[in-house]
């Protein structure tokens, strides 16, 4: 069986962009692949410097994966920090990574651009963790011989960098010591829009949190800005943010039916939002219940993660042995 691997950084609370763009596709892949999914906690340290915040986010993301239905008996579910081989491999890979490749990383370039726009020094506030982020991520992936990496579109450049780094390493030793991974992006959910129409992201503050209470969910949806078309006017579902979000939660029959009601006119935005809330809450309310139960038992979460981490280490230490031999370190 081929291997699928992905990670999520515990940098805040999960939103429906993470759920539809990363978690759900990953869980579907886990039915056909040997899956290894992890909490990318050291990646989070680049931006989360408050220990209580980091701990809370780790618990939240662990419970989030479990509430969404990950089966830790079938999927190796672990914490990056529990697999120190990751950091040894990152050191190995750094020796094969051109600095210029890191200069071209979107996340780094965006940070530099923001600084320059503000008239500050390009590298202001940018730590080496952010700059070398793609090396650590390549290490996460290559350590487990991953064939596919389910991610949202914003992460495909990182996976391509992992391919480049693995290629340079293999080329140097003249054998395929590291497997070349492929990104798996589900086109329908590659970019889940946020409440302001831009990509949903915690950095834009436009998210629908995955586990908000029913009343908070309703409020968020009702507050979403729409155009000023009145009730009678026919509406274009394809140009509508409310409909784009509806499609994520509704089955194909419901989507067709509601699209015709949009086009026919006679349905106002209030009602469109009500429909969105109904399907969203239908899917999210059982998840929310499981989530609330799980976060109330951190000991259980820790036990699940540490069992997965043990399994992950067994694989990781075999990879590192192979690479130590190949490089001449051993
Ligand atoms: P954020 O942009 O909110 O900081 P992350 O970068 O932590 O989210 O993303 C975690 C995972 O969720 C990644 O695989 C990413 O591609 C996916 N993801 C995040 N936002 C979206 C979105 N709006 N649409 C689709 N996938 C997303
Ligand atoms: N960079 C990813 C994100 O920001 C998280 C991540 C870290 C990851 N290591 C990974 C994803 C390895 C896939 C594979 O969302």
């Amino acid at each position: 069986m081929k291997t699928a691997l992905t990670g999520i950084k515990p940098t805040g609370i999960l939103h429906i962009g993470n759920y539809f763009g990363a978690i759900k596709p990953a869980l579907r892949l886990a039915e056909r692949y040997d899956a290894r999914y992890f909490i990318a906690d050291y990646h989070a340290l680049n931006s989360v410097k408050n220990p209580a915040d980091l701990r809370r986010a780790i618990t939240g993301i662990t419970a989030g994966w479990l509430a969404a239905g990950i089966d830790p008996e079938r999927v190796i579910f672990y914490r990056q920090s529990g697999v120190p081989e990751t950091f040894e491999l990152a050191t190995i890979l750094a020796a094969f990574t051109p600095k210029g490749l890191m200069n071209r990383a979107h996340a780094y370039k965006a940070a530099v651009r923001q600084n320059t726009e503000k008239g500050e020094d390009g590298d202001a506030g940018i730590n080496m963790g952010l700059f070398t982020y793609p090396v650590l991520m390549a290490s996460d992936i290559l350590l487990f011989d991953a064939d596919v990496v389910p991610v949202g579109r914003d992460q495909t450049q990182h996976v391509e960098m992992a391919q480049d780094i693995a290629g340079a390493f293999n080329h140097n030793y003249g054998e395929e010591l590291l497997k070349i991974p492929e990104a798996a992006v589900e086109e329908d959910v590659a970019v889940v829009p946020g409440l302001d129409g831009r990509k949903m992201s915690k950095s834009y503050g436009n998210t629908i949190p995955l586990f908000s209470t029913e009343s908070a969910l309703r409020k968020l949806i009702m507050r979403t800005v729409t155009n000023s078309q009145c009730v009678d006017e026919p509406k274009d579902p394809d140009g509508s943010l409310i409909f784009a979000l509806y499609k994520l939660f509704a089955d194909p029959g419901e989507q067709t039916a509601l699209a015709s009601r949009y086009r026919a006119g006679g349905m106002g935005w209030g009602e469109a939002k009500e429909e969105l809330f109904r399907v969203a809450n239908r899917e999210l309310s059982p998840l929310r219940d499981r989530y609330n139960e799980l976060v109330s038992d951190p000991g259980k979460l820790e036990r699940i993660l540490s069992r997965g981490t043990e399994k992950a280490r067994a694989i990781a230490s075999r990879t590192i042995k192979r690479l130590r031999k190949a490089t001449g370190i051993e």
Side-chain angles (χ1 to χ4, degrees):
M1 236 204 279
K2 291 198 168 185
T3 298
L5 175 139
T6 198
I8 295 188
K9 280 177 302 183
T11 47
I13 54 172
L14 289 169
H15 54 72
I16 67 163
N18 304 139
Y19 177 62
F20 287 105
I23 296 179
K24 261 190 126 174
L27 292 179
R28 268 198 301 274
L29 270 188
E31 293 164 14
R32 296 181 285 123
Y33 285 77
D34 259 340
R36 285 127 202 213
Y37 298 156
F38 70 99
I39 315 292
D41 47 3
Y42 268 121
H43 282 285
L45 189 59
N46 292 327
S47 55
V48 186
K49 298 297 199 288
N50 175 303
D53 288 347
L54 186 55
R55 257 179 230 120
R56 196 173 318 114
I58 292 169
T59 305
I61 301 229
T62 307
W65 271 111
L66 291 164
I70 197 173
D71 174 0
E73 297 302 318
R74 288 186 50 202
V75 174
I76 302 183
F77 180 47
Y78 62 99
R79 252 171 109 130
Q80 181 194 36
S81 60
V83 185
E85 289 80 1
T86 308
F87 314 108
E88 181 167 351
L89 180 55
T91 300
I92 298 175
L93 297 178
F96 292 84
T97 307
K99 174 177 174 280
L101 188 69
M102 300 297 95
N103 290 341
R104 291 195 289 279
H106 297 320
Y108 170 67
K109 274 170 56 184
V112 172
R113 200 178 322 114
Q114 264 185 15
N115 280 334
T116 353
E117 277 165 10
K118 280 190 286 186
E120 287 180 27
D121 180 87
D123 280 331
I126 299 180
N127 58 49
M128 283 304 289
L130 173 66
F131 185 63
T132 62
Y133 189 100
V135 178
L136 185 54
M137 178 156 160
S139 176
D140 295 326
I141 297 169
L142 301 173
L143 188 59
F144 291 94
D145 295 314
D147 294 285
V148 297
V149 183
V151 280
R153 191 177 293 133
D154 58 331
Q155 294 296 319
T156 52
Q157 189 202 31
H158 288 146
V159 180
E160 284 159 13
M161 289 183 165
Q163 295 172 342
D164 290 348
I165 298 169
F169 185 88
N170 290 345
H171 179 75
N172 182 73
Y173 297 105
E175 61 177 308
E176 173 130 0
L177 290 159
L178 294 172
K179 184 171 277 175
I180 310 290
E182 292 290 337
V185 180
E186 282 207 15
E187 285 309 319
D188 294 353
V189 288
V191 183
V192 172
L195 292 172
D196 58 1
R198 292 188 290 173
K199 173 195 172 236
M200 185 175 290
S201 170
K202 54 190 161 270
S203 11
Y204 297 149
N206 62 356
T207 66
I208 300 181
L210 188 53
F211 303 114
S212 51
T213 61
E214 186 167 324
S215 68
L217 178 66
R218 169 185 284 276
K219 259 196 216 126
L220 263 182
I221 291 176
M222 295 304 158
R223 272 211 317 257
T224 309
V225 183
T226 52
N227 63 24
S228 54
Q229 283 180 303
C230 61
V231 174
D232 289 341
E233 275 180 82
K235 299 176 180 61
D236 176 16
D238 299 323
S240 152
L241 171 66
I242 303 292
F243 193 73
L245 294 170
Y246 180 82
K247 280 206 302 201
L248 295 168
F249 294 103
D251 63 43
E254 290 173 319
Q255 291 179 31
T256 320
L258 195 69
S260 336
R261 289 186 59 207
Y262 267 69
R263 292 197 184 94
M267 184 179 67
W269 288 119
E271 201 179 338
K273 289 176 181 179
E274 206 50 72
E275 284 298 319
L276 168 59
F277 170 74
R278 186 180 61 78
V279 288
N281 196 49
R282 179 179 71 190
E283 175 148 356
L284 299 183
S285 85
L287 240 77
R288 180 193 305 134
D289 293 345
R290 282 198 294 276
Y291 177 82
N292 288 334
E293 200 182 308
L294 285 156
V295 284
S296 70
D297 192 351
K300 179 173 170 188
L301 297 179
E302 200 45 56
R303 281 195 297 283
I304 293 174
L305 271 186
S306 60
R307 242 181 285 136
T309 303
E310 241 171 72
K311 294 185 213 162
R313 275 204 84 176
I315 301 168
S317 66
R318 285 200 296 275
T319 311
I320 286 295
K321 242 187 222 122
R322 182 172 94 217
L323 301 181
R324 284 175 152 231
K325 286 226 169 69
T327 52
I329 289 289
E330 235 170 53

